[in-house]
Amino acid sequence: MPGKPYISIIIPVYNEEGNLQPLFDRLYPVMQKIGKPFEIIFTDDGSRDRSLDILKRLAEAYPEIKVVEFNGNFGQHMAILAAFEMSGGDIVITLDADLQNPPEEIPKLVSEVEKGHDVVGTVRQNRQDTLFRRLASRIVNITTNKMTGMRMSDYGCMLRAYHRDVIDNINCCQETTTFIPALAQTFASNPSEVEVAHAERAEGESKYSLYRLVRLNFDLMTGFSVVPLQLFALMGIVTSLFSVLFALLLLVRRFIIGAEVEGVFTLFAILFFFIGIIIFGIGLVGEYVGRIYQEVRRRPRYVVRRTHGFGE
Ligand code: UDP
Ligand code: MG
């Protein structure tokens, strides 16, 4: 066993068989060049392809490689959290397995942390994703910053570095649904951001369908602020004020001009608008209630089947 690592690299893996060896071939020399003790922890998030076999082989061949084997698919953020709990480095860096985040950027992040920043975020330069994903990210970044009061330019980029103190705080959180960059930001006292390159996914397909992206963003919004609920309550007050005014107007009109029939469809339109708002509001409340339900159940957030390379 090597001594206590200085840097921990954490990589969630879900069906990435084609990417693991190329990733390792680029990552390992970078880490060796830094010249400090390191560990690389892969979490296999219930892959159904050969990913786990490849990882186990790597763990046997290299003492720095460790593997956490999940019992099923618990999601990217749970995979990272599990590895956080197993990690020992003073500097912890998260990375995607699909080579969209170039490993060559790691030394830059390390030196930022060494300058005294406890969270180092990244901003993707020349982002290589579809136009739809880029637009969606832009909206998410702006609204999340507004709602949570945080300052982050790129919530989506997972290539990030954290100081041990921040990781210890994250490990104390027992949230069942979370969004790690935002969670870390709440514990950061001196965050910074650097620009990093971004590449196209090397092999395979994105694991995020439109539905999973929407879910993830609900986690981000409702997990870190109650502003949606407050906005909604505010909107309720404003609309009810307006509807009182509207009713008064109709009443006065009825006395002066007589009962109105022509405006029936306008009324319908207004009604549908309000019904839409109400349904949205119920959904929003449901989102929070659902989260409370998940929290009070206190189920294990993930199940580790086995670990490899941790000196067990
Ligand atoms: N991932 C995971 N569990 C999941 C989905 C994704 O561990 O349920 C991993 C995946 O293997 C990759 C990273 O999370 O290393 C980012 O996933 P992906 O590249 O599909 O997301 P995108 O880049 O499209 O946002
Ligand atoms: Mg990707």
Side-chain angles (χ1 to χ4, degrees), residues 96 98 100 201:
D96 279 355
D98 56 2
Q100 286 196 284
R201 185 170 240 288

Side-chain angles (χ1 to χ4, degrees), residues 260-309:
E260 64 125 42
V261 212
E262 330 87 285
V264 172
F265 289 104
T266 328
L267 207 59
F268 264 117
I270 295 168
L271 190 68
F272 285 147
F273 175 67
F274 288 144
I275 291 178
I277 292 182
I278 290 170
I279 294 175
F280 175 63
I282 294 173
L284 197 60
V285 174
E287 195 66 36
Y288 283 97
V289 174
R291 295 177 65 90
I292 295 170
Y293 176 57
Q294 280 186 338
E295 296 297 338
V296 297
R297 274 190 314 202
R298 287 255 154 266
R299 291 221 184 119
R301 298 179 297 166
Y302 49 79
V303 182
V304 175
R305 186 188 291 147
R306 207 170 298 131
T307 59
H308 309 269

Side-chain angles (χ1 to χ4, degrees), residues 12 14 16 45 73 76 97-98 100 133 201 206-207 212:
Y14 181 50
E16 303 278 8
D45 189 13
N73 182 237
Q76 180 185 2
D98 56 2
Q100 286 196 284
R133 286 286 296 262
R201 185 170 240 288
S206 172
K207 307 298 180 289
R212 288 189 75 173

Side-chain angles (χ1 to χ4, degrees), residues 60-298:
E60 273 163 25
Y62 300 87
E64 295 93 345
I65 307 271
K66 299 162 188 182
V67 180
V68 180
E69 183 185 334
F70 269 7
N71 203 1
N73 182 237
F74 293 91
Q76 180 185 2
H77 291 263
M78 287 305 132
I80 295 174
L81 285 182
F84 275 174
E85 291 198 6
M86 305 287 214
S87 71
D90 293 336
I91 300 175
V92 177
I93 295 174
T94 57
L95 192 73
D96 279 355
D98 56 2
L99 285 167
Q100 286 196 284
N101 313 131
E104 291 76 20
E105 303 277 10
I106 288 175
K108 201 151 95 184
L109 294 181
V110 171
S111 70
E112 271 303 288
V113 178
E114 283 171 345
K115 273 185 221 157
H117 298 290
D118 49 2
V119 173
V120 182
T122 49
V123 186
R124 290 171 278 195
Q125 291 303 100
N126 297 319
R127 184 152 167 214
Q128 304 292 319
D129 273 317
T130 57
L131 182 67
F132 168 73
R133 286 286 296 262
R134 293 203 305 267
L135 270 180
S137 291
R138 163 107 27 107
I139 296 169
V140 167
N141 291 337
I142 294 173
T143 49
T144 313
N145 278 333
K146 280 246 152 50
M147 289 204 315
T148 58
M150 297 193 238
R151 288 255 121 259
M152 233 196 284
S153 318
D154 191 352
Y155 281 86
C157 188
M158 275 316 211
L159 176 58
R160 283 167 183 276
Y162 309 96
H163 187 265
R164 169 61 33 195
D165 296 341
V166 174
I167 297 294
D168 287 341
N169 280 322
I170 292 177
N171 286 343
C172 293
C173 298
Q174 291 295 317
E175 303 184 322
T176 50
T177 48
T178 196
F179 194 86
I180 288 162
L183 186 61
Q185 203 71 3
T186 58
F187 297 123
S189 58
N190 183 14
S192 85
E193 283 185 339
V194 294
E195 292 183 347
V196 294
H198 191 243
E200 270 185 64
R201 185 170 240 288
E203 265 292 320
E205 286 184 346
S206 172
K207 307 298 180 289
Y208 285 98
S209 60
L210 183 60
Y211 173 73
R212 288 189 75 173
L213 274 182
V214 172
R215 292 292 332 154
L216 192 70
N217 284 305
F218 256 114
D219 287 347
L220 178 56
M221 299 292 168
T222 59
F224 293 91
S225 99
V226 286
V227 172
L229 276 183
Q230 293 164 343
L231 274 185
F232 194 72
L234 219 64
M235 204 147 70
I237 295 171
V238 171
T239 46
S240 50
L241 274 181
F242 271 112
S243 58
V244 168
L245 285 181
F246 191 55
L248 277 179
L249 189 80
L250 286 183
L251 197 70
V252 172
R253 198 194 126 100
R254 195 184 174 111
F255 280 122
I256 300 174
I257 314 180
E260 64 125 42
V261 212
E262 330 87 285
V264 172
F265 289 104
T266 328
L267 207 59
F268 264 117
I270 295 168
L271 190 68
F272 285 147
F273 175 67
F274 288 144
I275 291 178
I277 292 182
I278 290 170
I279 294 175
F280 175 63
I282 294 173
L284 197 60
V285 174
E287 195 66 36
Y288 283 97
V289 174
R291 295 177 65 90
I292 295 170
Y293 176 57
Q294 280 186 338
E295 296 297 338
V296 297
R297 274 190 314 202
R298 287 255 154 266

